Amino acid sequence: MRDTVSRYSSAVTADETTRMGRPRSERSRRAVLHAVDDLLVDVGYAALTMKGIAERAGVGRQTLYRWWTTKAEILLEAIVDDVEEELTTPALPDAADDLAAYLRELRDFLLTSPAGHAYRALVGEAQHDPTVRDLVHTADLLGTSARAVLDRVRPVAPAMPSADLGTAQFVGPVVYQALTTGTGFPDDDLREHVRTLLDRWST
Amino acid sequence: MRDTVSRYSSAVTADETTRMGRPRSERSRRAVLHAVDDLLVDVGYAALTMKGIAERAGVGRQTLYRWWTTKAEILLEAIVDDVEEELTTPALPDAADDLAAYLRELRDFLLTSPAGHAYRALVGEAQHDPTVRDLVHTADLLGTSARAVLDRVRPVAPAMPSADLGTAQFVGPVVYQALTTGTGFPDDDLREHVRTLLDRWST
Amino acid sequence: MRDTVSRYSSAVTADETTRMGRPRSERSRRAVLHAVDDLLVDVGYAALTMKGIAERAGVGRQTLYRWWTTKAEILLEAIVDDVEEELTTPALPDAADDLAAYLRELRDFLLTSPAGHAYRALVGEAQHDPTVRDLVHTADLLGTSARAVLDRVRPVAPAMPSADLGTAQFVGPVVYQALTTGTGFPDDDLREHVRTLLDRWST
Amino acid sequence: MRDTVSRYSSAVTADETTRMGRPRSERSRRAVLHAVDDLLVDVGYAALTMKGIAERAGVGRQTLYRWWTTKAEILLEAIVDDVEEELTTPALPDAADDLAAYLRELRDFLLTSPAGHAYRALVGEAQHDPTVRDLVHTADLLGTSARAVLDRVRPVAPAMPSADLGTAQFVGPVVYQALTTGTGFPDDDLREHVRTLLDRWST
DNA sequence: ATCTAACCGAGACGGTACGTCACGTCTTACA
DNA sequence: TGTAAGACGTGACGTACCGTCTCGGTTAGAT
């Protein structure tokens, strides 16, 4: 995931040897990512504009367009690290506990965390713009962390299906609920969901 | 569902007694709904504008704003009937067959049907705009049809959990996959998913 | 001259019969012309921008572009009346006095009057933009008033050449001096110039 | 004239003693002047930009700003030699022939020559920018050559007035016509104009 | 048979973001 | 120190759409 996204910032600077002309300003890059983070909380995604980002960051508009093509692209680069960090749960001895803990974290992430808000906004934008869909699909923010947790319980869940289906069965219901209703399931429901999966996977 | 949505069109005409002045033009209403359908296919949701809808429909801008507040609202009214129709599967004797058939229909609806495209656009917009989120939540386009199918198999699935969780477990993985990757699962994966649920629900 | 320019405002409103839609706002038109007048004095032609005009006039940018294509066009419409008014001198009994009075007025107009400043800016812009050149050529702000004065003395100047050459001989030196040096000739020089012309024309 | 303008290029290199560090690149200077000449013909003055000049010349932007402050200044330096050369007519025995020949050359220069185009652009810019006005006034491109011709006929035109007025009377009408209408007078009109002047001057 | 109220289309209005362009300055590596 | 390259912050460009407004006209029930 890191590698996937760090392309955006390294593609130019790492161009084989040294570059000509003034190098890209790391200061501006950071200012933009922080500005986008702040603005998403302050005004929401719908009111998030390239102009607004540039002004908040104290950066020229051209600089934005030079390095990013879409506000979604900026947002993705801004949150990718946060998502990875916020969705990392410590391994628990019991498989059911392990999975349930992750789903609680995922639910709270989607509903309350700024990064979760950004993630939902990105998935939303992906429905309108194919470019963003590819971006979101490639970054696969949730899938990466979910797969990590599933891999941990694989020893006691030998019948777990292919990564795609397993992941979707695991996180799909929680994400679906958050995206369509803006609500999350109580802890007991999450446990019940985990048991449903483990029952079949632990044959 | 119908009633929920038909409010938007009936609120005025059915206002207790008869109204004064020129009545709402049914012709314009239909023209708008058709225009929105056409434009979604032609230009996509991102390029769908109130101005564009008005011009395509041969209708004044004011007329749009008089009866709808958002392009999402128009879109919802335009597709609600289609969704209901496209997601209605005939009951099958075997529960697993019944559920799998619905999921296949749902998958194809989300990925290929114009109404499915509109549905995804609405869920997407819901992530940006709380008003739309309530609209989508209230209409509950998918939940209604999914619940109907689940109710059919309830006799052989007595352990099925609460409607919300059961529905989310059922359709969540398929919707999640469509929204985040734009792809669908093969039929076999859908059958496997159905078996996972029925295994636990049929205690 | 009036007719030439009034085209800009009447071309649309006078379109045969009555028009559809909201009619053009005369209030906005006036606000724009006043704003352009003020700004020329305040910031000069080089710093005169469409954006600045719109903001000063309290008018949308689109409104500017809807009715004018160039800031030069706005400026021309704004000053055409002033020019006509400022360059009108009362007829004097002596031909030499009559012509000299006009040239003094013209010199002061070019060097000190706001409208004269605008005229020089327009002629300047005409050197860069063929569209403006046609505009200036067609309006022929100076030529019109100069020709009127020449016509008055024609009875005592039967050898006056064609209108174009006569006018250019008459006002050319004064305009040339103003455009290339920003200065004007003393009254005595203007009298000498008039005598030079009348000597030959009064054969 | 030459001296006046060559200040712009010699100010640094000829600074009393020898300079430290890398000397100014004569190669870059020539490239810039040629680029400005070419671009004026290709794209016109309005589309002539510092950026464009730098790219066409294969020169850094900083280099432009180091040695010139304005595109007008570059243009002036680029054409000054051409103007002098193109407006030099051989002396003719008859005064009227001499003056008329110069006016024909001046007319054609203004209307068809690239350097004439540049001159008109400079005079145009001078109306917008006081800095350029001083530049044009000081260089006095036309006045210098015109005065030279007038001096030649002075022996037979003893009543010729002060240099400024005489020059303005001589070239003013032709320049006025070119600047305001983009047209020139036929040869006969130019002869008539010369006769008007000589009639009075040869008393 | 008017009158009146609410609708209708068209389209101009003041705003504001869009993505691009040129400005003049700066920061690199190289000569 | 001069140079080419090129990124930087600034700000105007002309366009598009926003949601509102003002026209002339239409279509009903109420007078």
Side-chain angles (χ1 to χ4, degrees):
Chain A
M1 179 170 61
R2 296 266 4 227
D3 296 21
T4 301
V5 175
S6 62
R7 265 189 302 137
Y8 303 119
S9 51
S10 68
V12 174
T13 50
D15 199 0
E16 304 128 13
T17 71
T18 69
R19 307 254 311 150
M20 269 195 316
R22 181 178 180 172
R24 178 175 183 183
S25 162
E26 179 64 17
R27 191 182 173 289
S28 291
R29 180 180 163 272
R30 287 186 196 285
V32 168
L33 299 182
H34 284 143
V36 116
D37 261 344
D38 293 353
L39 281 171
L40 190 74
V41 172
D42 286 6
V43 304
Y45 185 85
L48 191 65
T49 65
M50 290 297 253
K51 193 191 180 205
I53 296 169
E55 284 171 358
R56 177 79 150 232
V59 143
R61 308 255 293 280
Q62 194 70 250
T63 300
L64 254 57
Y65 289 107
R66 201 183 338 257
W67 302 113
W68 297 277
T69 63
T70 308
K71 58 182 179 173
E73 210 170 279
I74 308 179
L75 195 49
L76 183 60
E77 184 171 344
I79 64 160
V80 61
D81 293 351
D82 295 338
V83 171
E84 189 174 14
E85 186 180 329
E86 294 188 29
L87 289 182
T88 304
T89 51
L92 297 180
D94 181 60
D97 290 348
D98 206 3
L99 297 185
Y102 176 82
L103 289 186
R104 285 197 302 273
E105 194 115 322
L106 173 60
R107 175 199 60 196
D108 296 342
F109 167 79
L110 290 172
L111 298 180
T112 65
S113 158
H117 185 185
Y119 174 78
R120 282 193 286 122
L122 281 173
V123 173
E125 190 68 3
Q127 311 312 311
H128 305 150
D129 182 343
T131 305
V132 177
R133 201 188 57 189
D134 291 348
L135 213 61
V136 168
H137 181 25
T138 305
D140 194 18
L141 298 168
L142 254 54
T144 307
S145 67
R147 225 161 9 245
V149 176
L150 290 179
D151 284 344
R152 290 205 301 241
V153 303
R154 193 179 297 275
V156 300
M160 191 192 305
S162 73
D164 275 1
L165 178 58
T167 305
Q169 285 182 298
F170 182 39
V171 305
V174 172
V175 175
Y176 167 79
Q177 194 71 5
L179 293 185
T180 57
T181 73
T183 64
F185 290 112
D187 291 0
D188 285 351
D189 280 6
L190 296 181
R191 284 211 75 83
E192 162 63 18
H193 176 53
V194 167
R195 274 192 216 104
T196 303
L197 298 180
L198 286 181
D199 268 7
R200 175 137 186 112
W201 292 354
S202 59
T203 307
Chain B
M1 180 172 61
R2 296 275 353 233
D3 295 22
T4 301
V5 176
S6 61
R7 262 193 302 139
Y8 304 116
S9 52
S10 66
V12 175
T13 48
D15 198 0
E16 303 130 12
T17 69
T18 68
R19 308 256 309 153
M20 269 197 317
R22 183 178 178 174
R24 177 174 184 184
S25 162
E26 180 63 17
R27 190 183 173 287
S28 291
R29 179 179 165 272
R30 286 187 194 284
V32 167
L33 299 182
H34 284 143
V36 115
D37 262 343
D38 294 352
L39 282 172
L40 190 73
V41 172
D42 287 5
V43 303
Y45 184 84
L48 190 66
T49 65
M50 292 294 255
K51 192 191 179 202
I53 296 169
E55 284 171 358
R56 177 78 149 234
V59 144
R61 312 255 298 277
Q62 197 69 255
T63 302
L64 251 59
Y65 289 105
R66 206 188 328 263
W67 303 112
W68 297 278
T69 64
T70 308
K71 61 181 178 175
E73 211 169 276
I74 308 178
L75 193 51
L76 184 61
E77 182 170 346
I79 64 158
V80 61
D81 293 351
D82 295 336
V83 173
E84 192 173 15
E85 185 181 330
E86 293 188 32
L87 288 181
T88 305
T89 51
L92 297 180
D94 180 61
D97 290 348
D98 207 4
L99 297 185
Y102 177 82
L103 288 187
R104 285 198 302 273
E105 195 114 326
L106 173 60
R107 176 198 60 195
D108 297 343
F109 166 79
L110 289 172
L111 298 180
T112 64
S113 157
H117 185 185
Y119 174 78
R120 281 194 287 120
L122 282 174
V123 173
E125 188 69 3
Q127 311 311 312
H128 306 151
D129 183 345
T131 306
V132 178
R133 200 186 58 188
D134 292 349
L135 213 60
V136 169
H137 181 27
T138 306
D140 194 17
L141 297 168
L142 253 55
T144 308
S145 68
R147 230 168 359 253
V149 178
L150 289 179
D151 285 344
R152 291 204 300 241
V153 303
R154 193 178 298 273
V156 300
M160 190 191 305
S162 73
D164 275 0
L165 178 59
T167 305
Q169 285 182 297
F170 181 39
V171 303
V174 172
V175 174
Y176 168 79
Q177 193 71 4
L179 293 186
T180 58
T181 73
T183 64
F185 290 111
D187 290 1
D188 285 350
D189 280 6
L190 296 180
R191 284 212 75 83
E192 163 62 18
H193 176 53
V194 166
R195 274 192 216 102
T196 302
L197 298 179
L198 287 181
D199 268 7
R200 175 141 185 107
W201 293 352
S202 60
T203 310
Chain C
M1 181 170 57
R2 294 275 355 232
D3 296 21
T4 302
V5 176
S6 63
R7 265 190 300 134
Y8 304 119
S9 51
S10 67
V12 175
T13 49
D15 199 358
E16 304 128 12
T17 69
T18 70
R19 306 253 312 150
M20 269 195 317
R22 181 178 178 172
R24 177 174 183 182
S25 162
E26 180 62 19
R27 189 182 174 288
S28 292
R29 179 179 164 274
R30 285 187 195 284
V32 167
L33 299 182
H34 284 143
V36 115
D37 261 342
D38 294 352
L39 282 172
L40 191 73
V41 172
D42 287 5
V43 303
Y45 185 84
L48 192 64
T49 65
M50 290 297 254
K51 193 190 182 207
I53 297 169
E55 285 171 357
R56 177 77 149 234
V59 144
R61 224 116 73 75
Q62 195 68 247
T63 301
L64 252 56
Y65 289 106
R66 193 169 1 242
W67 303 111
W68 297 277
T69 64
T70 307
K71 58 182 179 173
E73 208 168 282
I74 307 178
L75 194 50
L76 183 60
E77 184 171 347
I79 64 159
V80 62
D81 293 352
D82 296 337
V83 172
E84 188 171 17
E85 185 180 329
E86 294 188 27
L87 289 181
T88 304
T89 52
L92 297 180
D94 180 62
D97 291 347
D98 207 2
L99 296 185
Y102 177 82
L103 288 186
R104 284 197 304 274
E105 194 118 321
L106 172 60
R107 175 197 60 194
D108 297 342
F109 167 80
L110 289 172
L111 298 180
T112 65
S113 156
H117 185 185
Y119 174 79
R120 281 193 287 121
L122 281 174
V123 173
E125 188 70 3
Q127 310 312 312
H128 305 151
D129 182 344
T131 306
V132 177
R133 200 188 57 188
D134 291 349
L135 214 60
V136 168
H137 181 25
T138 306
D140 192 19
L141 297 168
L142 253 54
T144 309
S145 67
R147 226 164 4 249
V149 177
L150 289 179
D151 284 344
R152 289 205 301 243
V153 303
R154 193 178 297 274
V156 299
M160 191 191 304
S162 72
D164 275 0
L165 177 59
T167 306
Q169 286 181 297
F170 182 37
V171 303
V174 172
V175 174
Y176 167 79
Q177 192 72 3
L179 293 185
T180 58
T181 73
T183 65
F185 291 111
D187 291 0
D188 284 350
D189 281 5
L190 296 181
R191 285 211 75 82
E192 162 63 18
H193 176 53
V194 166
R195 274 191 217 104
T196 303
L197 299 180
L198 287 181
D199 268 7
R200 176 144 185 105
W201 294 352
S202 59
T203 309
Chain D
M1 177 172 63
R2 294 271 0 225
D3 295 22
T4 301
V5 175
S6 62
R7 265 191 301 136
Y8 304 118
S9 52
S10 66
V12 176
T13 50
D15 199 0
E16 303 128 11
T17 71
T18 70
R19 307 258 310 155
M20 275 197 313
R22 181 175 179 176
R24 177 174 183 183
S25 161
E26 180 63 17
R27 191 183 172 287
S28 291
R29 178 179 164 273
R30 286 188 195 284
V32 167
L33 299 181
H34 283 144
V36 118
D37 261 344
D38 294 353
L39 282 172
L40 190 72
V41 172
D42 287 5
V43 304
Y45 184 83
L48 190 65
T49 66
M50 292 296 254
K51 193 190 178 201
I53 296 168
E55 285 171 358
R56 177 76 150 235
V59 142
R61 311 257 294 281
Q62 198 68 255
T63 301
L64 252 58
Y65 289 107
R66 208 188 325 265
W67 303 112
W68 297 277
T69 64
T70 309
K71 59 180 180 177
E73 210 169 278
I74 308 179
L75 193 51
L76 184 59
E77 183 171 347
I79 64 158
V80 62
D81 293 351
D82 295 338
V83 171
E84 191 173 14
E85 185 180 330
E86 294 189 31
L87 288 182
T88 305
T89 52
L92 297 180
D94 181 62
D97 289 348
D98 208 1
L99 298 184
Y102 176 83
L103 288 187
R104 284 198 303 273
E105 195 113 322
L106 173 60
R107 175 197 61 195
D108 297 342
F109 167 79
L110 290 173
L111 298 180
T112 65
S113 157
H117 184 184
Y119 174 78
R120 281 193 287 120
L122 281 174
V123 173
E125 188 70 2
Q127 312 312 312
H128 306 150
D129 182 345
T131 305
V132 178
R133 200 188 55 189
D134 292 347
L135 214 59
V136 169
H137 181 25
T138 306
D140 194 17
L141 298 167
L142 252 56
T144 308
S145 69
R147 227 164 3 247
V149 177
L150 290 180
D151 285 343
R152 289 203 303 242
V153 303
R154 195 178 296 275
V156 300
M160 189 191 305
S162 72
D164 275 1
L165 177 58
T167 306
Q169 285 182 298
F170 183 37
V171 303
V174 173
V175 175
Y176 168 80
Q177 194 72 4
L179 294 185
T180 58
T181 73
T183 65
F185 290 111
D187 291 359
D188 285 350
D189 280 5
L190 296 181
R191 283 211 77 83
E192 162 64 18
H193 176 52
V194 166
R195 274 191 217 103
T196 303
L197 298 179
L198 286 181
D199 267 8
R200 176 141 185 107
W201 293 352
S202 60
T203 306

